[in-house]
Amino acid sequence: MPRTRVSLRATVALWMVPTVLLFFGSSWWLTQVNVSQLADSAYDRTLDGALRAIEANISLQSGGLGVDLPYALFASLRTTSKGTVYFRVTSADGLVQIGDAALPQPPDLKPNETHFFDAEYLDQRVRIGALRTTLPAPLYGAGQAQDVIIEVAETAAPREASLELIANAAFWRDVVVTGLGLGLMILGFGAALRPLERLRQRFDRRDPSDLSLLDEDQLPVEVRPLVQSFNALLLRHAALAGAQRRFLDDASHQLRTPISVLRMQLDHALQTADPADREETLRAMRGVIERSARTTAQMLALARADATAIGQAGDQVDPARILSEVARLHLQGARRKRLVLDLDLPETPLTVPAHETLIYEALSNLLDNAIRHSPMGGTIQLSLTVQDGSIRFGITDEGPGMSAEGLARLGERFRSDGGHGLGLALVQSVARAHGGRVIAQNRDGAGLDVQLEISRANADFTVPVTDL
Amino acid sequence: MKRCWLGLVLLLAALLPGMVQAQSVTASAPEDQTSCIAPAQPEGGFDLTCRVITEALKAAAILPRPMQRSFLPGGVGAVAFNAMTGPRAAEAGTLVAFSEGTIYNLVRGSFGDHDIGDVRWLAQVAQDYGAIVVRADAPWADLPALLATARENPQSVAFGGGGTIGGQDWMRAAMTAELSGIDRRKLRFVAFEGAGSCTEALLAGFVQACMNDVGDTRTAMDAGKPLRILAAFAPQRLPGALSDIPTAREQGLALDWPVMRGVYMGAQVSDQDFALWQARLERVMASPEYAQILRRYHLQPQPLTGAALRDEILGMAQDARDRLARLGTS
């Protein structure tokens, strides 16, 4: 069952939509991540500055832990970030705590480690910078200097607002770029499909009987093989149509004359009172009927040959055997005219791809012609020669040969010159079906030399276009 | 009087020859180098305590050299308490200011592994009351106005005070919030090393209200700081020049917050030195100059020593425990 085919546009869209979405999504996501990292690092630097300022303002001069808080810095921080600033200084032992008492705790820090993290404070998201630093001297006589943890936090809302601004800009930029890209792609795809559309119109405008080939010059390379295949199909159809037409022509042409002759003879036989005359007439009718029967057989073979030329490859056959069998078949007829059949076959066995029936029929026709045109007691030479890419069957008689005009129009049908016409047309068709040809020439002395050449290669049996 | 005390010391030295060396060292120290430590940044309540004591001692001319005032900030007294129970526990010439907040912190354990018996409580020299202080140019006319803003937008009003969560100023803020229907978990409380630091932050606009006390605030205002007291946590209006300050009760907030202004000494100070200092302070606190000094610093007289002081402190510790339990903070 053939699957339902979607249009090329739909297929391209099906592939392009996820691709575009992927590009769009990744671009947007990367922008988000990059921008938020950039913004974080920029904002974190100011937090870091505040941390360092507080650290610098820690004083142990009194023997206690005094911190002069840099309110001016906080104020400028608050002004620039448009948010709220929080801070806390805690000694690691928990005794001292200055600043926003409920500010979230930082994770465990190593001495001199600065850490930035997001947290929630007073129902707002805040960005907190935390620094752990060791006091320059121990407090209240402890064994070693205590650590203090300094935290500075600011509300994340202004930072997020600016991030959102950038993200929105990036989003709309991506939307516009993607939209433009899609638009261009749709236009481009339409342009790419236009030759196909024109091709369709050419098909639509075509006359039903027009079997001429399509011109592929102006088509895109991707479409050419399709058109070439189509042209080949067209050729085969034209050939087949031609073959059928010829068969009909041949049949009507060949049968019309004998039928009218037979009608006249029949009328004569019915009218004559002389029994001897009637018998003679009936005998004459028999000859006409036999010739008509032969003609019919030839026409059927010819039709088959024409159809085969459009069709398939043949089997591997032995041409020498076919020639011998044809000779044996016509031995009786030759003997009646006391003819000598001289058979010359190659010594090495060989096979060629061919249709045995067609070759047989063609050779039979040629030999039949030769016998009929040979003088009493003559010689007919039958030969098979092997060449590089082909083999040749040769049939040579000692008859009167053909007129120059006959030779020139070899193989044309209805050139009714005593049976040569239809037979040679058949031979021509068989030769073509096997990628070969027919060469006919008059011999120097007297007689006709006909060569049937067929290709040894597994011919594709394509009929040359010009022949049709 | 001074001679009399010296004579007693000399007599004791003669009677107990084995103690002469040690006694002469410790006994000589208070006379040469005496100091009052305010365990916070300057200009807070502890500072006020030390100013009162040094000025009163000076007025009474008891000491050969004026007593020094010094500061030992850190944990609203924690650093000083650890010093006076550790390396400086035997300094006979050193007094350290304390308040009810010190008791609160001890009860909470935020001074480390210490309790009330670890130092020698010398005297309460004055009484003060908690106050809510805003900048002179603050938009709130009275306490209800401030609390209304805090109720509507808790983040917009940062309360500052000495000590951290669980400390006395936080507790005052938390109870104020609770009594006026504000979720105290939404309260922004900023801890400072005493009222002086809070005032600094208040003036810098970093906090909007300070849980300072009447005395230190009025003293700072006398020095030109643009401050305003919205309420005093006193049972009734304070006398004299302070009678213009409205109480919290007047404004619908039933909370009193008496503040203790006292001094303690190191744990290893001898009974003798301790008794010497106690006698000195008792004498000073009885003098008329002392009352004058208290008025100058806007404090109320409340001289307590000995057993009375101990009872007061133990009662305060119990109060602290109760209040902490009520607020669920330890």
Side-chain angles (χ1 to χ4, degrees), chain A residues 119-162:
Chain A
E120 189 125 324
Y121 180 52
L122 297 173
D123 298 333
Q124 308 171 88
R125 277 190 307 285
V126 289
R127 180 80 175 169
I128 303 181
L131 163 70
R132 185 182 179 126
T133 179
T134 305
L135 294 173
L139 280 180
Y140 43 84
Q144 63 186 58
Q146 289 91 339
D147 281 359
V148 292
I149 294 143
I150 305 168
E151 288 163 88
V152 175
E154 65 180 356
T155 43
R159 173 189 305 212
E160 280 161 4
S162 75

Side-chain angles (χ1 to χ4, degrees), chain A residues 263-284:
Chain A
R263 193 166 54 221
M264 283 193 311
Q265 286 173 328
L266 193 63
D267 287 347
H268 180 73
L270 287 173
Q271 285 166 7
T272 186
D274 182 3
D277 188 19
R278 186 179 299 139
E279 191 184 333
E280 195 189 339
T281 308
L282 287 175
R283 280 187 198 286

Side-chain angles (χ1 to χ4, degrees), chain A residues 62-69 71 74 78 84-87 94-102 121-124 139-141, chain B residues 41 71-75 78-79 82-83 87 110-112 155 164-165 186-193 197 200-201 204-206:
Chain A
S62 62
L65 176 61
V67 184
D68 284 327
L69 293 164
Y71 290 115
F74 289 163
R78 208 165 40 195
T84 314
V85 176
Y86 309 106
F87 77 94
L95 290 190
V96 177
Q97 197 172 57
I98 302 169
D100 272 84
Y121 180 52
L122 297 173
D123 298 333
Q124 308 171 88
L139 280 180
Y140 43 84
Chain B
Q41 299 282 29
F71 300 93
L72 192 58
V79 168
N82 278 277
S110 60
F111 277 3
Q155 289 148 12
T164 182
I165 288 181
K186 289 192 173 158
L187 193 73
R188 185 181 163 205
F189 185 80
V190 184
F192 292 101
E193 286 293 325
S197 291
E200 197 188 333
F206 193 76

Side-chain angles (χ1 to χ4, degrees), chain A residues 47-382:
Chain A
L47 284 183
D48 193 44
L51 287 175
R52 300 292 167 188
I54 295 177
E55 186 189 15
N57 282 341
I58 290 179
S59 151
L60 302 180
Q61 221 167 9
S62 62
L65 176 61
V67 184
D68 284 327
L69 293 164
Y71 290 115
L73 181 74
F74 289 163
S76 75
L77 209 63
R78 208 165 40 195
T79 313
T80 44
S81 77
K82 295 186 186 66
T84 314
V85 176
Y86 309 106
F87 77 94
R88 180 168 63 181
V89 181
T90 323
S91 66
D93 59 14
L95 290 190
V96 177
Q97 197 172 57
I98 302 169
D100 272 84
L103 206 61
Q105 289 291 334
D108 277 346
L109 297 171
K110 289 191 280 292
N112 283 320
E113 186 190 346
T114 311
H115 179 68
F116 297 94
F117 61 104
D118 297 313
E120 189 125 324
Y121 180 52
L122 297 173
D123 298 333
Q124 308 171 88
R125 277 190 307 285
V126 289
R127 180 80 175 169
I128 303 181
L131 163 70
R132 185 182 179 126
T133 179
T134 305
L135 294 173
L139 280 180
Y140 43 84
Q144 63 186 58
Q146 289 91 339
D147 281 359
V148 292
I149 294 143
I150 305 168
E151 288 163 88
V152 175
E154 65 180 356
T155 43
R159 173 189 305 212
E160 280 161 4
S162 75
L163 266 184
E164 200 178 299
L165 208 68
I166 297 169
N168 277 344
F171 177 80
W172 289 114
R173 177 202 67 195
D174 285 356
V175 165
V176 168
V177 168
T178 309
L180 282 177
L182 273 175
L184 280 176
M185 209 144 61
I186 289 168
L187 286 179
F189 196 67
L193 286 181
R194 208 160 296 136
L196 286 184
E197 178 60 23
R198 278 201 298 267
L199 190 62
R200 187 189 64 79
Q201 286 168 358
R202 273 159 72 188
F203 279 126
D204 287 351
R205 280 199 302 266
R206 217 163 225 267
D207 190 85
S209 61
D210 183 3
L211 288 177
S212 69
L213 298 183
L214 284 168
D215 178 16
E216 59 183 75
D217 281 354
Q218 278 156 27
L219 291 173
V221 283
E222 289 85 353
V223 184
R224 279 188 200 172
L226 186 70
V227 170
Q228 281 160 2
S229 293
F230 178 79
N231 275 344
L233 186 69
L234 210 58
L235 287 178
R236 282 200 289 273
H237 276 289
L240 208 58
Q244 283 168 351
R245 197 174 59 234
R246 273 194 305 278
F247 179 74
L248 285 174
D249 285 354
D250 292 354
S252 53
H253 214 89
Q254 291 296 321
L255 293 178
R256 197 172 56 208
T257 314
I259 286 172
S260 60
V261 169
L262 282 174
R263 193 166 54 221
M264 283 193 311
Q265 286 173 328
L266 193 63
D267 287 347
H268 180 73
L270 287 173
Q271 285 166 7
T272 186
D274 182 3
D277 188 19
R278 186 179 299 139
E279 191 184 333
E280 195 189 339
T281 308
L282 287 175
R283 280 187 198 286
M285 281 175 75
R286 183 189 169 86
V288 175
I289 288 170
E290 274 174 359
R291 206 165 64 234
S292 297
R294 199 178 70 233
T295 307
T296 309
Q298 279 179 342
M299 280 193 305
L300 283 172
L302 183 58
R304 211 156 46 231
D306 284 351
T308 306
I310 302 153
Q312 338 72 21
D315 306 319
Q316 288 291 330
V317 297
D318 180 357
R321 183 179 54 78
I322 296 176
L323 192 56
S324 309
E325 281 177 13
V326 169
R328 203 173 307 129
L329 184 74
H330 290 271
L331 212 52
Q332 202 64 37
R335 202 169 282 160
R336 266 205 297 273
K337 290 184 90 172
R338 292 196 299 280
L339 297 174
V340 175
L341 293 185
D342 184 6
L343 197 57
D344 178 16
L345 297 174
E347 282 166 14
T348 48
L350 86 153
T351 58
V352 291
H355 295 273
E356 181 167 346
T357 330
L358 294 182
I359 300 286
Y360 193 94
E361 210 59 48
L363 291 176
S364 185
N365 264 287
L366 286 177
L367 186 52
D368 189 49
N369 277 347
I371 291 170
R372 273 190 288 124
H373 290 93
S374 284
M376 292 289 282
T379 304
I380 295 177
Q381 286 170 3
L382 300 170

